[in-house]
Amino acid sequence: MFEDLGVIDRIVASGGEYPVQRVYTDAGPVDEAVVELSEATPAEPYQIPLLVPQFLTERRLRERLAELGHAPHYGHELVGFEQDADGVSARIATPDGERTVRVAYLIGADGGSSFVRKALGIGFPGKTLGVRAIVADVLAEGVSWDVWHRWGEDTASQVSLCPLYGTDLFQLQAPYPSTSTWTSPPKDSPRSSASAPAATIS
C-alpha cells in the first residue's frame, strides 16, 4: 500500500528493523529475535518488518496527501451511508453540521470498533486478552537504545520499553493497574517522562 501511495521510501527512512528483544529473567537477561524473516516474492516484495512510530507514519501520509492537494478533516464523523450500483452516499457530521458526500468507494479503516464494519455486519473474529494496558511514547534515562527491553513473563504483568527509530523516545507498554495495586518504582529505576501516547490498548 505504501508503494502504491508513493511513500515507501519515506516510510523506510522513518523507521528501522525490529531490535533484539532482551527479556529480564531471574537467571539474568536473555536476548531473543523478535521476528523471523521470510524470502521476498513478487507478490510480497517487502519481507523485512519495520518498526515505524505511528505518528511518523501519519506524518508521511499527511505530507503525501498535501502533495496531492488534499488534507485530513479532523472533527468529522461518519454517521451513516447508503450504497447503490454507482457508489456510496456517506453522511458526515462536521463542526458546521451534517453533510452528504458522494464517493465511489467507502473504506472501513476505522479501527476495531469500526462503524463501517458493524453497519455492514462484518465479523471481527479474535479474542480479548482481558488485560487493560497503556501504550505511551516516553523519554527514558539509563536504558540502552540497542534492544527492546521486557520485564515480566506473562501478559498481565509484562512491561516493555522499545526504542522508536527516528526519535529519542521509547514506547512503553504496560498493564494498567488499579489505584489499590499501584506501587512506586524503586529509587534506582530509570526515570521517564511521558509524552502524548501514540496509541492505546483496551
Side-chain angles (χ1 to χ4, degrees):
M1 181 182 72
F2 290 143
E3 183 177 43
D4 293 339
L5 293 173
V7 296
I8 184 64
D9 291 340
R10 305 180 204 184
I11 295 295
V12 171
S14 298
E17 296 184 36
Y18 275 78
V20 170
Q21 176 178 264
R22 178 164 295 166
V23 181
Y24 295 90
T25 70
D26 292 339
V30 178
D31 288 355
E32 304 172 347
V34 176
V35 296
E36 295 183 4
L37 302 182
S38 56
E39 294 294 328
T41 66
E44 298 182 352
Y46 303 103
Q47 291 297 318
I48 301 178
L50 296 178
L51 182 62
V52 184
Q54 179 176 329
F55 64 89
L56 289 184
T57 302
E58 293 179 2
R59 182 181 302 170
R60 301 298 170 246
L61 293 175
R62 287 195 301 269
E63 291 169 352
R64 179 57 176 156
L65 195 60
E67 292 172 359
L68 298 174
H70 302 285
H73 293 281
Y74 298 100
H76 289 56
E77 179 183 4
L78 178 69
V79 294
F81 59 89
E82 296 178 353
Q83 178 178 326
D84 56 39
D86 299 319
V88 180
S89 296
R91 292 189 292 112
I92 311 294
T94 80
D96 299 320
E98 188 174 302
R99 58 178 295 209
T100 299
V101 178
R102 184 67 180 172
V103 294
Y105 300 95
L106 177 64
I107 301 173
D110 46 346
S113 58
S114 168
F115 173 81
V116 176
R117 176 182 61 78
K118 291 178 179 178
L120 294 175
I122 300 173
F124 191 62
K127 63 180 182 180
T128 300
L129 295 177
V131 177
R132 296 183 66 192
I134 59 172
V135 178
D137 298 343
V138 301
L139 294 170
E141 297 178 358
V143 183
S144 61
W145 186 260
D146 57 336
V147 297
W148 186 340
H149 304 272
R150 288 188 182 271
W151 297 268
E153 297 182 357
D154 57 65
T155 303
S157 63
Q158 191 172 95
V159 176
S160 72
L161 281 172
C162 180
L164 294 179
Y165 298 115
T167 76
D168 57 354
L169 302 171
F170 287 84
Q171 185 171 94
L172 167 69
Q173 300 177 10
Y176 184 80
S178 65
T179 55
S180 60
T181 61
W182 177 260
T183 57
S184 298
K187 292 182 179 180
D188 58 351
S189 296
R191 293 176 295 164
S192 65
S193 58
S195 65
T200 60
I201 297 176
S202 58

